[in-house]
Amino acid sequence: MKFLPLIWSGIWRKPGRTVLIFLQVCVAFALFGVLQGLKTGVEQLISQTRADVLLVHGTLALFDPLPLSLLERIKSVPGVKVVAPVELFGATYQSPDQKLGVVAVRPVEGWLSAFSYTIAPEYVAAFRQSRTAAIIRDVVATKYGWKIGDHIPLLSKTVQKNGSTDWAFDVVGTYADSDLGGGGDTLLINYDYFDEARVESKGTVKHFKVAIADPALAATVADEIDRRFANSANETRTESMRELAQSQLQSIGDLNFLIRSIVAAVFVALLFATATMMMQSIRERLPELGVLKTLGFTDAAVFLFILAEALTIFVAAAVCGLGLALTVFPLASKVVPGLSMPLIVVAAGLACAILAATVSAVIPAIFAARSNIVAALAGRR
Amino acid sequence: MNFARQCLALLRVNLAGLIERPSSALTILVGVTCAVGALVSMLAMGTGARRQEMGDVRADHAVLSKTGERPGQSDIPRDEAAAILGLPGIRKGSAGEPIVVFESMTFIEGRRRGTRTRIYFPVIGVTPTITEYLPEMRFTGGRMFRPGLQELIAGDSCARQFTGFELGDSRLIHGVAWTVVGHFDEDEAQQCVVYGDVDSIMSAFKSNTYTSVGVMLQSAADFSAFRDAVAANPALHLEALPERAVVEDEFKQLNAILYFVAYFVGSIMALGATLGAVNSLYAIVDSRRRELATLRAIGFAPGSLVVAVLVESVLLAIPGALLGSGLAWILFNGLAASPLGYSIRLAVTPALVGLGILWALGMGLLGGLLPALRAARIPVTTALRAI
């Protein structure tokens, strides 16, 4: 402890140089934080998606319709708790560029367990009672200023029985969506009302959401569902929401090679710069270190002083850099909505800082420890 | 003239001195190399994407969709589509028929080779005029699909990336087997595209409207006349767009993300490299205090000292830029990356190398400025007295 002032004065011997090294390390770790945070954050997002919710859709494409009549047969598969039919269509509000995704659901017992929505119980009750009810995603309600009791007219491509493509719903509540990507601009309506009112594709759904009892059995249940419809006109493909997230975010994972290369380049440049600077600094300070040794400090003590200086600068700068990364990270979540910086990245960053400090300081420190007192005092190298 | 001679003489001295301080010079070199390398390889993704998107775009192509709807996601009724055939300005094919392609796009599932991961790729139902609409399209194997049959032709990249696209392979679509009968070369595009007969595809997917219509004009200059003819026809609720605008709109978001990421990473690394250069040059200037003071004492102007240090800094940065671009080229050029679901072949072009050099110039000048000013401000008397 008593050597702290000595180390401190060593750090500030040339303030300009120290500040520059500090900034350089800080910048490197800010970049490390953002890039590594993006990579780890995506992996974490995938692991957070629900493995106990399955999506049953057609074999051809995600949006190939399936008949509603499959519902009972899916429900009879052992391990299935809730089966919720889902129909999707696009609509616009007032102008063609104000697009909304309309999700038609059937509020059967326990339906919410198959979705990532959070809805107050009174809203759910109101939704059940009124056929034309709509629950609006909170951000959408704020965006258009919709309140409970509002009657909202929407325009879509889906034709009603009376020939019109105008649809109107009554707002009965709002919901929050914890889904990957936040769910976009969406609202929920009653499937049964919608299906009855439309002309084309009656009795079909885009997919079924299935909540299962045991997430560990997801693959078994999914296979069993697909087996029941194999070789029929409506073959199904069942996958868990986690699998779906994995395949969606796979593409970002393909960037790993690039991210690794860049992080490597950052650290190579950083280590080279700091190691050179330290060596230069030690050469200049050799006479002073000679004085220290003359006063009785051992070689080991001098070695540790140099190392401690480097560690202090690096760790402080890494903390600043990672803090900066944490503050700018919300920008990156524009690319992948819902992304947040995992704290493991901060921990990894600090470990890297300690490692980098040791690597760049060890050679100058050994050089300083081994220096000959007489030569050092004379300013010879 | 005298000033220039002074600068040159000083520069010679500076550069000769570098041999005694190789580590400082290397710090600048390595820093700039890494920064430019990162910038160029990130930008190579954007350039590669652009090259692919725009590579097959023709100025004499126009794309029609319902007014306000995106081509590919539109729904054009058959009667409106038929009316397009009679519009003026459309080029006639070898058999005298107008070169108009009715398209119906849908997505079906495929599996990547090796990893077996699932992916959705576009299947586009087209009229057989496609071969005249895309004169660049060359068959590398098999033959064209026959109208009315369940036959598919696939781009070469499909067979390369996904399973089930060899000639003769068949896949079930709604219980009916579709056979791959031909392979074609897609030029720049890396995105897998599969074509089939539009009527067969539409009946398989129970669709009754086209998702877009492509038209080949007599020449690019005929576009505005064609667009006006479409707008003036009361039977058509369609709008015509040049193919370039459609493709650009489609990739706007991807390009914006790629360029943002590239410049974000590139700028931060450049900042780091500049800081490193400032530090190294300060160290060089400091260790040469006596020498610089002597030069001042024998009559060298402070301005020439500034210029000499700046030029030295830039001269150290430029090889870094070349090295960085070179590394990016060796490591990444031609590498296929698939960010955000798009398949892109990275392209390191001379323009990017030029940009890298400019970037390095910036780093060199900014990094050299403060140390150069310090070199010029060394007080002659105190520096010389320190001997």
Side-chain angles (χ1 to χ4, degrees), chain A residues 60-61 64 237 239 251 254, chain B residues 107 109 118 174 286 338 341:
Chain A
L60 286 175
D64 200 34
R237 175 84 73 230
E239 50 202 333
S251 45
D254 289 350
Chain B
F107 285 84
E109 182 192 281
R118 187 179 304 141
H174 285 297
D286 278 354
S338 35

Side-chain angles (χ1 to χ4, degrees), chain A residues 27 32 149 166:
Chain A
V27 162
F32 168 87
D166 296 342

Side-chain angles (χ1 to χ4, degrees), chain A residues 14 16-18 20-21 23-24 27-28 30-31 34-35 57-62 64-65 96 99 157 232-235 237-239 243-244 247-248 250-252 254-255 257-258 261-262 264-266 268-269 272-274 276-277 280 283-284 328 331-332 334-336, chain B residues 21 23-24 26-27 30-31 34 38 41-42 45 68-70 73-75 106-109 111-112 117-118 120 172-175 205 257 260-261 264-265 268-269 271-273 275-280 282-284 286-287 331-332 335 337-342 346 374:
Chain A
K14 281 217 162 181
R17 180 174 293 173
T18 306
L20 284 170
I21 291 185
L23 285 178
Q24 219 180 338
V27 162
L31 192 59
V34 170
L35 289 179
H57 57 88
T59 40
L60 286 175
L62 276 174
D64 200 34
K99 293 192 172 78
K157 286 185 199 169
S232 77
N234 295 293
E235 290 202 12
R237 175 84 73 230
T238 307
E239 50 202 333
E243 277 181 287
L244 214 59
S247 59
Q248 274 170 8
Q250 178 75 41
S251 45
I252 292 171
D254 289 350
L255 285 181
F257 177 56
L258 215 58
S261 314
I262 289 169
V266 169
V268 165
F272 204 90
T274 48
T276 318
M277 213 29 71
Q280 170 100 20
R283 285 217 179 94
E284 288 173 15
V328 301
L331 274 180
K334 276 200 184 123
V335 184
V336 187
Chain B
R21 284 176 281 272
S23 56
S24 297
L26 273 176
T27 303
V30 171
C34 290
S41 41
M42 299 292 287
M45 211 150 50
E69 290 180 351
R70 278 166 173 272
Q73 295 165 18
S74 187
D75 42 1
T106 183
F107 285 84
I108 72 170
E109 182 192 281
R111 293 219 176 245
R112 218 177 254 288
T117 43
R118 187 179 304 141
Y120 291 92
L172 287 177
I173 296 182
H174 285 297
F205 286 91
I257 290 175
F260 171 75
V261 172
F264 178 75
V265 171
I268 292 186
M269 289 196 67
L271 182 62
L275 289 170
V278 174
N279 226 348
S280 303
Y282 261 142
I284 292 178
D286 278 354
S287 61
L331 285 176
F332 296 112
L335 183 89
S338 35
L340 312 165
Y342 295 88
L346 273 68
R374 176 183 291 195

Side-chain angles (χ1 to χ4, degrees), chain B residues 326-351:
Chain B
L327 278 175
W329 190 79
I330 292 169
L331 285 176
F332 296 112
N333 192 33
L335 183 89
S338 35
L340 312 165
Y342 295 88
S343 207
I344 292 171
R345 202 166 280 272
L346 273 68
V348 178
T349 57

Side-chain angles (χ1 to χ4, degrees), chain B residues 21-188:
Chain B
R21 284 176 281 272
S23 56
S24 297
L26 273 176
T27 303
I28 301 175
L29 190 74
V30 171
V32 173
T33 301
C34 290
V36 171
L39 177 78
V40 168
S41 41
M42 299 292 287
L43 283 176
M45 211 150 50
T47 314
R50 215 178 152 71
R51 183 187 269 193
Q52 262 165 243
E53 295 153 19
M54 293 302 160
D56 296 336
V57 167
R58 289 176 62 108
D60 55 0
H61 278 175
V63 179
L64 291 116
S65 62
K66 259 201 167 163
T67 311
E69 290 180 351
R70 278 166 173 272
Q73 295 165 18
S74 187
D75 42 1
I76 305 170
R78 285 174 190 267
D79 53 333
E80 286 195 35
I84 295 169
L85 295 173
L87 291 172
I90 302 177
R91 193 183 298 183
K92 299 280 190 284
S94 50
E97 83 294 352
I99 306 181
V100 174
V101 178
F102 300 145
E103 296 184 6
S104 170
M105 183 167 74
T106 183
F107 285 84
I108 72 170
E109 182 192 281
R111 293 219 176 245
R112 218 177 254 288
R113 272 181 193 277
T115 58
R116 304 281 303 153
T117 43
R118 187 179 304 141
I119 187 149
Y120 291 92
F121 61 88
V123 173
I124 309 178
V126 290
T127 33
T129 38
I130 187 82
T131 46
E132 292 191 85
Y133 182 70
L134 298 174
E136 310 85 0
M137 189 166 138
R138 282 188 302 112
F139 277 85
T140 52
R143 56 172 174 82
M144 182 66 182
F145 63 81
R146 291 203 191 99
L149 293 183
Q150 279 71 42
E151 292 181 339
L152 297 171
I153 56 172
D156 282 339
S157 69
C158 301
R160 217 171 34 238
Q161 296 177 64
F162 309 115
T163 57
F165 283 108
E166 297 303 326
L167 287 181
D169 281 357
S170 71
R171 56 178 58 233
L172 287 177
I173 296 182
H174 285 297
V176 180
W178 287 66
T179 315
V180 179
V181 297
H183 280 169
F184 59 89
D185 179 27
E186 289 175 291
D187 263 356
E188 295 287 351

Side-chain angles (χ1 to χ4, degrees), chain A residues 56 63 65 89 241 308 352 356:
Chain A
V56 183
F63 298 113
F89 70 101
M241 296 308 282
C352 276

Side-chain angles (χ1 to χ4, degrees), chain A residues 137-205:
Chain A
R137 187 166 170 234
D138 43 12
V139 292
V140 184
T142 321
K143 183 169 165 188
Y144 297 122
W146 292 337
K147 280 171 219 59
I148 293 171
D150 281 1
H151 191 68
I152 49 167
L154 301 178
L155 191 67
S156 87
K157 286 185 199 169
T158 312
V159 186
Q160 286 203 56
K161 269 193 292 199
N162 61 12
S164 154
T165 54
D166 296 342
W167 293 78
F169 301 99
D170 300 305
V171 179
V172 297
T174 57
Y175 73 93
D177 193 346
S178 61
D179 183 39
L180 193 74
D185 281 6
T186 48
L187 59 133
L188 309 178
I189 60 159
N190 275 299
Y191 174 80
D192 291 313
Y193 164 69
F194 172 71
D195 195 46
E196 209 182 298
R198 67 176 163 177
V199 179
E200 282 176 16
S201 319
K202 265 181 180 304
T204 64
V205 297

